[in-house]
């Protein structure tokens, strides 16, 4: 028993946050307070299945608003915070780093201060049980070459994009609050997630939607860049394990053991679309793959060693990339309303992150 009955989740209307909340409310059965500013990346409809649950409540607030955070903490008295709210897209961090610095760095600082104020006022039992879980990315470790060993928790930080640098800064702040004030923190650094409800600026949903629209698939550079892919539901399970059973002050890498070149991911999507949504003229979707100008400073390869998480906490991914990608393509075909609303109002699928 973790003793955790109420969790404050930041960024719960986003891709991973909504999967975490569906897991916490639907599978684990704990109370969740979702604090989200509802930026362009938020989709409250991703939470439709928990919306009516008495375990779930939503607070529209920005993590940069210290007073709002203090008020929510005092009213709801969570046993833990899972901090996912962030600006999350590398290409947008190239087009405009401001929001990344502000939300990811200042926002995390503001949340840490609000959490410290609340935690220091708790009684001894509640104080020792409290946890601040910071959810971060493997991109803080920088870029690997082919054959380099995968990132471990000991790999030195070497972020290269504005997004990665802002997340690295937030990781450092979280560790500093632990070292300086003993705030009971735990961190996790995860590889690329995919699955349902992912905003269509990211590679996998963008390619599925381009394919369904009969448009070209824009592959950056030569398509040789490598990412490790993890299904979002496996990530959500890992996060609950880390929150409840991870050691205070430690960080845990989370990965899918599915390293793939971008071109192989896109080819896989084309083949699934050929099966599920064949083009009217009978041509394969593969014929519409286009190699386009590379992303500036494009990290070549990410690879994660998550032996610590597997050995200490017994977690391992359940979904293979093959079955997960098949389920994901099917989800986007069956849930057109979800992404059409985004295309019509917030993002029409244009190229981002080209340095002007
Ligand atoms: P997302 O962009 O889909 O969602 C982010 C959410 O945070 C949105 O609901 C948005 O409204 C909210 N938000 C943004 N700024 C806010 C602010 N100032 N105050 C309150 N809420 C705010 O992001 P995601 O892909 O779900 O990523 C969630 C977290 O996981 C991020 O911290 C990200 O760095 C980390 N992460 C993501 C991946 C990935 O592959 N997507 C991998 C590893 C780690
Ligand atoms: P992305 O989903 O943006 O995640 P990240 O940059 O955080 O890894 O991109 C994944 C990979 O796909 C990355 O190497 C960039 C590449 N990519 C394309 O080739 N074309 C695209 O249109 C997008 C959005 C990404």
């Amino acid at each position: 028993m973790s003793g955790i009955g109420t969790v404050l989740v930041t960024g719960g209307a986003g891709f991973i946050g909504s999967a975490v909340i569906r897991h916490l409310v639907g599978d684990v059965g704990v109370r969740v307070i979702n604090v989200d500013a509802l930026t362009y990346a938020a989709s409250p409809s991703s939470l439709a299945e928990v919306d009516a649950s008495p375990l779930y409540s939503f607070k529209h607030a920005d993590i940069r608003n210290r007073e709002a955070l203090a008020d929510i903490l005092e009213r709801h008295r969570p046993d833990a915070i899972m901090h996912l709210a962030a600006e999350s897209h590398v290409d947008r961090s190239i087009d405009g780093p401001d929001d990344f610095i502000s939300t990811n760095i200042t926002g995390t600082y503001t949340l840490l201060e609000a959490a410290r104020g609340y935690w220091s006022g708790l009684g001894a039992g509640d104080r020792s049980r409290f946890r601040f879980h910071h959810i971060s990315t493997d991109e803080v470790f920088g870029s690997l070459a082919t054959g380099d060993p995968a990132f471990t928790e000991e790999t030195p930080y070497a972020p290269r994009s504005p997004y990665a640098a802002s997340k690295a800064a937030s990781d450092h702040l979280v560790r500093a609050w632990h070292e300086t004030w003993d705030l009971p923190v735990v961190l996790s650094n995860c590889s690329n997630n995919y699955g349902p409800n992912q905003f269509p600026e990211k590679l996998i949903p963008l390619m599925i939607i381009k394919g369904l629209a009969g448009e070209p698939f824009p592959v950056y550079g030569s398509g040789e860049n490598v990412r490790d892919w993890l299904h979002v539901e496996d990530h959500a399970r890992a996060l609950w394990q880390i929150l409840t059973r991870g050691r205070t002050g430690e960080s845990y890498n989370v990965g899918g053991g599915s390293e793939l070149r971008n071109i192989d991911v896109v080819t896989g999507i084309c083949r699934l679309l050929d099966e599920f949504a064949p083009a009217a003229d009978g041509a394969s979707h593969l014929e519409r793959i286009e190699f386009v100008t590379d992303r500036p400073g494009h990290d070549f390869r990410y690879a994660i060693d998550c032996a610590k998480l597997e050995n200490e906490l017994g977690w391992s991914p359940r979904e293979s990339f093959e079955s997960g990608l098949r389920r994901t393509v099917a989800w986007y075909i069956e849930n057109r309303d979800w992404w059409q609303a985004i295309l019509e109002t917030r993002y029409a699928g244009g190229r981002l992150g080209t340095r002007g």
Side-chain angles (χ1 to χ4, degrees):
M1 278 300 290
S2 65
I4 291 178
T6 301
V7 182
L8 187 152
V9 174
T10 70
F15 166 51
I16 301 173
S18 62
V20 167
I21 293 178
R22 293 192 300 270
H23 179 55
L24 263 52
V25 170
D27 305 327
V28 180
V30 289
R31 266 187 70 211
V32 171
I33 304 113
N34 174 17
V35 174
D36 199 298
L38 301 182
T39 69
Y40 81 93
S43 288
S45 64
S46 304
L47 291 159
E49 68 187 65
V50 300
D51 233 2
S53 167
L55 292 175
Y56 174 72
S57 57
F58 174 67
K59 297 287 159 202
H60 187 192
D62 195 301
I63 57 162
R64 292 164 290 189
N65 183 339
R66 169 97 187 256
E67 276 171 25
L69 293 173
D71 185 56
I72 293 166
L73 286 164
E74 282 310 322
R75 276 172 202 268
H76 292 272
R77 312 203 62 77
D79 306 307
I81 295 175
M82 297 176 86
H83 175 36
L84 293 100
E87 290 293 336
S88 68
H89 188 37
V90 172
D91 287 330
R92 287 183 196 265
S93 81
I94 296 166
D95 288 335
D98 278 18
D99 289 344
F100 289 74
I101 303 305
S102 172
T103 281
N104 298 0
I105 304 178
T106 308
T108 299
Y109 155 70
T110 308
L111 181 65
L112 281 165
E113 279 296 77
R116 184 165 74 88
Y118 165 71
W119 166 77
S120 59
L122 293 174
D126 289 341
R127 237 190 21 229
S128 63
R129 187 172 56 202
F130 185 80
R131 273 299 178 83
F132 184 104
H133 182 174
H134 180 58
I135 284 79
S136 192
T137 169
D138 61 354
E139 302 189 25
V140 299
F141 299 122
S143 179
L144 297 171
T146 308
D148 281 352
F151 304 131
T152 71
E153 289 79 3
E154 312 307 322
T155 302
Y157 276 35
R160 293 160 31 100
S161 73
Y163 164 67
S166 69
K167 290 296 292 189
S170 67
D171 291 11
H172 292 319
L173 289 173
V174 171
R175 288 200 181 90
W177 262 241
H178 174 64
E179 296 299 336
T180 310
W181 290 288
D182 294 329
L183 187 71
V185 308
V186 65
L187 294 90
S188 54
N189 296 84
C190 186
S191 60
N192 288 57
N193 283 216
Y194 72 99
N197 305 100
Q198 186 169 29
F199 194 89
E201 64 196 355
K202 306 280 167 41
L203 177 71
I204 289 182
L206 184 66
M207 296 297 149
I208 298 170
I209 287 167
K210 294 274 183 202
L212 292 173
E215 292 176 16
F217 300 91
V219 175
Y220 297 172
S222 62
E224 300 285 318
N225 300 63
V226 172
R227 297 291 182 266
D228 170 64
W229 294 96
L230 178 69
H231 194 275
V232 69
E233 287 158 12
D234 278 325
H235 190 194
R237 281 192 306 110
L239 292 178
W240 177 247
Q241 293 301 320
I242 294 165
L243 175 74
T244 53
R245 298 172 51 224
R247 284 181 287 140
T248 304
E250 294 282 318
S251 69
Y252 293 84
N253 281 354
V254 191
S258 287
E259 269 189 66
L260 286 163
R261 299 181 309 162
N262 292 338
I263 187 62
D264 296 328
V265 172
V266 177
T267 301
I269 292 169
C270 289
R271 295 220 164 94
L272 287 165
L273 289 172
D274 284 346
E275 184 183 333
F276 293 146
D281 62 2
S284 170
H285 290 276
L286 288 166
E287 291 176 24
R288 277 184 287 105
I289 293 178
E290 272 182 13
F291 294 97
V292 299
T293 312
D294 209 353
R295 169 188 283 171
H298 195 175
D299 286 347
F300 181 67
R301 171 176 168 244
Y302 305 138
I304 272 271
D305 177 342
C306 53
K308 178 175 174 181
L309 175 61
E310 293 181 332
N311 296 338
E312 276 188 26
L313 305 184
W315 173 90
S316 59
R318 289 182 185 158
E319 186 81 63
S320 72
F321 186 71
E322 199 186 13
S323 67
L325 190 64
R326 173 171 278 273
R327 281 213 291 144
T328 303
V329 171
W331 189 88
Y332 279 87
I333 291 173
E334 285 158 16
N335 291 275
R336 282 177 189 262
D337 289 355
W338 185 87
W339 51 267
Q340 283 290 358
I342 293 171
L343 296 192
E344 281 159 24
T345 55
R346 286 174 278 159
Y347 172 60
R351 176 76 197 262
L352 301 168
T354 53
R355 204 161 49 192

